[in-house]
Amino acid sequence: MSTPRTSSPSRRGILAAGGALGIGAFLTACGGGGSKDSDDSGSGSGPWTFKDDRGTTVKADKTPKKVVAFTGTAAALHDFGFECAGVFGPTKLKDGKPDPQAGDLDVDKVTVLGNAWGEFNVEKYAAMSPDLLVTNMLQAQELWYVPDDSKKKILGLAPSVGLNVTKVSLTQVIGRYAELAGSLGADLKAKKVTDAKARFEKASETLRKAAKAKKGLKVLCASGSADLLYVSEPSVYADLTYFKQLGVEFIVPDKVTGGFFESLSWENAGKYAADLILLDNRTSALQPKDLESKPTWAGLPAVKAGQITPWLSEPRYSYAGCAPLVEGLAAAIEKAKKVS
């Protein structure tokens, strides 16, 4: 996300999250109410239905084609073979290049309705005559990046689908994305998709072996701001939950507020001794070069040892999007040494 720390205490600093379940369990049909193989999902001309993670069954006379989604959501659907018509959320950087959350989207070919927290051009959205809106859910049934002050208007223009990405494993979220993409007509058996899945599974096994070999290595997940170091609660995040299932040993903060993290003043940044730090690399978070001037940061054992690795705290939930993240963590753990 880009600027949630300015909204409310419950949302401030939220780092998007997510039993490991295989993709097959989620490739159920979403057309005509019956079950059929994933490669047929959404391919018919009859009615379309999809039960989202609010428990809402979304219905349409035909498969939605003009879909508008949160940028990271659109990027994940793209990886599965479905192209969204419009996006909202961090899409372009100041230099015009794609935001990391845009993944492999061609950001010049989609209609951008908003590029930051609180931005959503309702008039432009209405002019698109959208068939469907899709986004993540981090807190209860709240639709991510859909502004509260215009939510009623937005949701009145087209049906919406919300996918939960917290307190579940990464593979479960990816499975739900695959299910939605398949229902919209994507070919989940395309080589691009199956190759990405194979890469993800290979990376996962590499991470499992690395974690086993470095048993006892303590990993801290955090995000830095000017005044605070946010230490993340691993069980909330889909990626961290999955990494833990693979054997990664995370530090669990003991005073979590808002459900997502513990806020530490920089004077108390050394509260938790870590061997490796996963540092939030979103554009809204401070990076290692920005933190060099903070003595308590510079004094952390992991920082002194150079054992810091980027953490994309809002991953795009596809095999293609997550495989590099798993590979990166595996490599970081393989190289890391006990320093705390």
Side-chain angles (χ1 to χ4, degrees), residues 143-177:
L143 297 177
W144 191 232
Y145 265 79
V146 176
D148 288 338
D149 57 359
S150 54
K151 180 172 64 175
K152 188 173 181 180
K153 283 184 179 180
I154 293 168
L155 299 184
L157 292 168
S160 62
V161 163
L163 297 177
N164 175 50
V165 297
T166 59
K167 299 182 180 179
V168 291
S169 181
L170 182 62
T171 47
Q172 184 170 340
V173 183
I174 292 174
R176 286 293 278 159
Y177 265 93

Side-chain angles (χ1 to χ4, degrees), residues 177-206:
Y177 265 93
E179 181 184 2
L180 177 60
S183 80
L184 293 170
D187 179 7
L188 300 179
K189 294 182 180 179
K191 188 175 186 300
K192 175 185 174 182
V193 179
T194 57
D195 284 354
K197 183 182 179 185
R199 179 183 174 184
F200 175 84
E201 291 174 342
K202 181 181 179 181
S204 297
E205 188 55 33
T206 300

Side-chain angles (χ1 to χ4, degrees), residues 101-247:
Q101 292 195 61
D104 294 330
L105 284 178
D106 187 335
V107 297
D108 294 321
K109 288 188 177 180
V110 291
T111 299
V112 181
L113 302 175
N115 198 55
W117 183 261
E119 292 181 2
F120 194 114
N121 191 319
V122 181
E123 290 72 23
K124 187 184 287 188
Y125 179 61
M128 292 180 69
S129 299
D131 297 323
L132 184 70
L133 180 145
V134 187
T135 188
N136 295 329
M137 296 188 301
L138 280 74
Q139 294 176 294
Q141 296 188 357
E142 184 176 321
L143 297 177
W144 191 232
Y145 265 79
V146 176
D148 288 338
D149 57 359
S150 54
K151 180 172 64 175
K152 188 173 181 180
K153 283 184 179 180
I154 293 168
L155 299 184
L157 292 168
S160 62
V161 163
L163 297 177
N164 175 50
V165 297
T166 59
K167 299 182 180 179
V168 291
S169 181
L170 182 62
T171 47
Q172 184 170 340
V173 183
I174 292 174
R176 286 293 278 159
Y177 265 93
E179 181 184 2
L180 177 60
S183 80
L184 293 170
D187 179 7
L188 300 179
K189 294 182 180 179
K191 188 175 186 300
K192 175 185 174 182
V193 179
T194 57
D195 284 354
K197 183 182 179 185
R199 179 183 174 184
F200 175 84
E201 291 174 342
K202 181 181 179 181
S204 297
E205 188 55 33
T206 300
L207 178 56
R208 187 193 301 277
K209 290 177 180 177
K212 185 177 181 180
K214 294 294 178 73
K215 188 172 179 60
L217 190 82
K218 299 297 182 183
V219 181
L220 180 75
C221 297
S223 181
S225 72
D227 301 317
L228 298 169
L229 179 68
Y230 299 95
V231 178
S232 299
E233 162 56 69
S235 66
V236 177
Y237 302 84
D239 57 343
L240 303 185
T241 296
Y242 182 58
F243 300 156
K244 184 178 179 181
Q245 291 168 345
L246 294 175

Side-chain angles (χ1 to χ4, degrees), residues 220 229 266 269-272 274 277 295-306:
L220 180 75
L229 179 68
W266 281 109
K271 178 178 179 179
Y272 300 106
I277 297 175
T296 50
W297 169 262
L300 295 176
V303 175
K304 289 195 288 185

